[in-house]
Amino acid sequence: MADRSKRRPGETREKLMNAALTLVGKGRHFASLGIREVTRQAGVVPTSFYRHFRSMDDLGLQLVDELGLVLRRMMREARANVLQADKLIEESVGIFVAHAQANRSFFLFMAQGLAGESRAVQEGIRSEMRFFASELANDLRRLRLMEHLSDADLDMTCDLVVRTVAFSLTDLLSISEDDDYQIGQVRKRTTQFLQMIFVGAGRWQSD
Amino acid sequence: MADRSKRRPGETREKLMNAALTLVGKGRHFASLGIREVTRQAGVVPTSFYRHFRSMDDLGLQLVDELGLVLRRMMREARANVLQADKLIEESVGIFVAHAQANRSFFLFMAQGLAGESRAVQEGIRSEMRFFASELANDLRRLRLMEHLSDADLDMTCDLVVRTVAFSLTDLLSISEDDDYQIGQVRKRTTQFLQMIFVGAGRWQSD
DNA sequence: CACATAAGTGAACAAGTGTACACATCGTTA
DNA sequence: TAACGATGTGTACACTTGTTCACTTATGTG
């Protein structure tokens, strides 16, 4: 009757995950979403939900996995575009901001999840951030930057950088999607933050 | 019948706000709380809710106001106890951690609200953080610290400091309330972050 | 092709939800 | 004391919610 097209495997699963993201993108908080609401948004009958997810928390966990892919794509692009260490910070922040705009709902979900309801989602996001930080540390080593820092101190620095950027996310996501002026402000300020951190790291010595 | 005691003005109002905080303290997300749920936890009939709040968002806003008081108390204590600039950072972080532990639910609410559902609550918390940062800038000026920084750069630094501390909140709140070792780790790491930032600020020069 | 399995559907139910209304009770002020 | 406004209560209604069950339909493998 309503099957106007053949069934693609995993299609409904995607539809459900996208539906959740869409609702988050519309300003809703993930923790307040219900199964029926999501299925409705996806144009699917409530029962279908259980074919793919055990609960909303489960859906959240699978979203975290996809979030990981988004972050990896972002890193790859950053590595490709940031060739010389000259404008390193400025360009990286630019790429980050661009990705945050392009995948707004995803990053909203991430920001929400950090203080979210599900312990598992929280831990998943935290883990993605740790991975991101460790990759950043690798890159800095590869570029022969901050060579005077011990491994532990470099990790600490990268952790601080990632946190700072993550916090900028909440700024970015709380302003209008196409307020270019404000977006520019956030980018500028974030760049300054990172510059200050790296100045500190440059002079850092363990005691 | 059930009025075993005389009515104190605003008693139910407090009970409702405390109930919401209690639920948040138990791991629930504020955005997922319902009116009935809160009134049940408060031991009050659902209708009473409307005598004090227009909606859940409204309750959230009033919680933000109280949060402001908590923060101000914390600042006052910090100012009283941090006499010499010597161990300034370490002691301040200590006081912060202690307050976060003592008012766990409040700070949980704050961390949630930063990426929360209600625009108004979000803005309220953001505003509290701005105030906090500006007070910090005042204190640093008063202590004759970072005198080489322009007002704008000092503001920027303090903003970064407050963000960093706020992010540590999510670390702190995601670990067990009485895992003293982990708490110590967070305190240590946060202290390092701030030290690195201040090293950067010490060498900072506008360009 | 046949068949097992995965994916989607619709109806149903008990429980929970927000909100409205009319009424009771308290504290205060005239 | 009388009357009033603020606060608390009980009942009711129309929805929404999560989950279950039995059923149909598509897909891929032997």
Side-chain angles (χ1 to χ4, degrees):
Chain A
M1 190 68 32
D3 58 328
R4 60 191 80 242
S5 70
K6 294 175 184 173
R7 268 194 296 203
R8 201 174 60 236
E11 187 181 12
T12 308
R13 205 188 88 104
E14 281 181 34
K15 274 204 268 188
L16 287 170
M17 294 176 80
N18 285 334
L21 280 182
T22 303
L23 289 170
V24 166
K26 281 184 184 166
R28 301 290 314 280
H29 194 291
F30 185 80
S32 76
L33 297 181
I35 288 176
R36 278 192 121 101
E37 200 180 358
V38 172
T39 57
R40 198 182 313 129
Q41 166 78 29
V44 160
V45 95
T47 332
S48 284
F49 184 90
Y50 296 99
R51 298 287 183 203
H52 304 277
F53 310 101
R54 215 174 293 110
S55 63
M56 265 295 161
D57 275 14
D58 190 20
L59 202 176
L61 273 179
Q62 307 210 27
L63 275 180
V64 171
D65 290 344
E66 284 215 17
L67 176 65
L69 300 181
V70 174
L71 292 180
R72 265 147 257 246
R73 264 201 299 279
M74 185 169 89
M75 285 191 316
R76 197 174 322 129
E77 179 170 347
R79 275 197 266 256
N81 287 40
V82 178
L83 297 170
Q84 76 283 23
D86 186 18
K87 298 271 186 182
L88 193 144
I89 293 177
E90 220 169 335
E91 287 192 29
S92 298
V93 171
I95 291 172
F96 169 73
V97 169
H99 269 76
Q101 293 289 100
N103 305 40
R104 210 158 198 274
S105 304
F106 252 120
F107 283 84
L108 264 171
F109 170 73
M110 172 177 165
Q112 291 182 354
L114 269 170
E117 191 157 61
S118 155
R119 227 19 110 100
V121 168
Q122 218 171 117
E123 190 46 47
I125 293 178
R126 224 165 265 279
S127 156
E128 291 294 337
M129 285 180 57
R130 272 195 299 271
F131 177 73
F132 199 92
S134 77
E135 287 293 297
L136 176 58
N138 283 344
D139 285 0
L140 291 181
R141 280 272 184 258
R142 199 157 40 77
L143 293 172
R144 304 244 179 281
L145 293 170
M146 303 289 147
E147 293 197 281
H148 64 293
L149 289 185
S150 71
D151 281 353
D153 285 339
L154 183 63
D155 282 347
M156 194 259 285
T157 308
C158 291
D159 192 4
L160 178 54
V161 167
V162 170
R163 282 155 182 264
T164 303
V165 173
F167 207 110
S168 291
L169 209 50
T170 60
D171 299 326
L172 206 54
L173 297 173
S174 76
I175 64 184
S176 165
E177 199 158 354
D178 38 34
D179 185 342
D180 288 339
Y181 173 74
Q182 292 250 45
I183 293 173
Q185 289 297 110
V186 171
R187 174 161 37 192
K188 195 171 153 192
R189 187 145 256 250
T190 305
T191 305
Q192 277 186 318
F193 286 155
L194 298 193
Q195 281 167 342
M196 177 164 285
I197 291 171
F198 277 116
V199 169
R203 305 289 177 152
W204 186 258
Q205 45 202 1
S206 304
D207 40 25
Chain B
M1 191 64 39
D3 56 329
R4 61 191 79 240
S5 70
K6 293 175 184 176
R7 267 193 299 202
R8 202 175 58 238
E11 186 181 14
T12 307
R13 204 186 89 103
E14 281 181 34
K15 274 204 267 188
L16 287 171
M17 296 177 77
N18 285 332
L21 280 183
T22 301
L23 289 170
V24 166
K26 281 184 186 164
R28 301 291 313 281
H29 195 290
F30 185 79
S32 76
L33 297 182
I35 289 177
R36 279 190 118 103
E37 201 181 356
V38 172
T39 55
R40 197 183 314 128
Q41 166 77 30
V44 161
V45 95
T47 334
S48 282
F49 184 90
Y50 297 100
R51 300 288 184 202
H52 303 276
F53 310 101
R54 216 175 293 109
S55 63
M56 265 293 164
D57 275 14
D58 190 19
L59 201 175
L61 274 179
Q62 307 210 28
L63 275 180
V64 172
D65 290 344
E66 283 214 19
L67 176 66
L69 301 181
V70 174
L71 292 179
R72 265 148 258 249
R73 262 202 299 278
M74 186 170 87
M75 287 190 314
R76 197 173 324 128
E77 179 170 346
R79 275 197 267 256
N81 288 42
V82 180
L83 299 171
Q84 77 282 24
D86 185 19
K87 298 271 183 182
L88 192 145
I89 293 177
E90 220 169 334
E91 288 193 29
S92 298
V93 171
I95 291 172
F96 169 73
V97 170
H99 269 77
Q101 294 288 99
N103 303 38
R104 208 156 199 273
S105 304
F106 252 120
F107 283 85
L108 262 170
F109 170 73
M110 172 176 166
Q112 292 182 352
L114 269 171
E117 191 156 62
S118 156
R119 226 24 110 97
V121 167
Q122 217 171 116
E123 190 46 48
I125 292 178
R126 226 164 264 279
S127 157
E128 290 295 338
M129 284 179 58
R130 272 195 300 272
F131 177 74
F132 199 92
S134 77
E135 287 292 297
L136 175 57
N138 283 344
D139 285 0
L140 292 181
R141 281 271 185 259
R142 200 158 40 77
L143 293 172
R144 303 247 179 281
L145 292 170
M146 302 291 146
E147 293 196 282
H148 65 293
L149 290 183
S150 71
D151 280 353
D153 286 338
L154 182 63
D155 282 347
M156 195 259 285
T157 307
C158 292
D159 192 4
L160 179 54
V161 166
V162 170
R163 282 156 181 263
T164 302
V165 172
F167 207 110
S168 291
L169 210 50
T170 62
D171 299 325
L172 205 55
L173 298 173
S174 76
I175 63 183
S176 165
E177 199 158 355
D178 38 33
D179 185 341
D180 288 339
Y181 173 73
Q182 292 250 43
I183 293 173
Q185 289 298 107
V186 171
R187 175 161 37 193
K188 193 171 154 194
R189 187 145 256 248
T190 305
T191 305
Q192 277 185 316
F193 287 155
L194 298 193
Q195 280 167 342
M196 176 164 286
I197 291 171
F198 277 116
V199 169
R203 305 290 176 149
W204 185 257
Q205 44 201 1
S206 305
D207 38 28

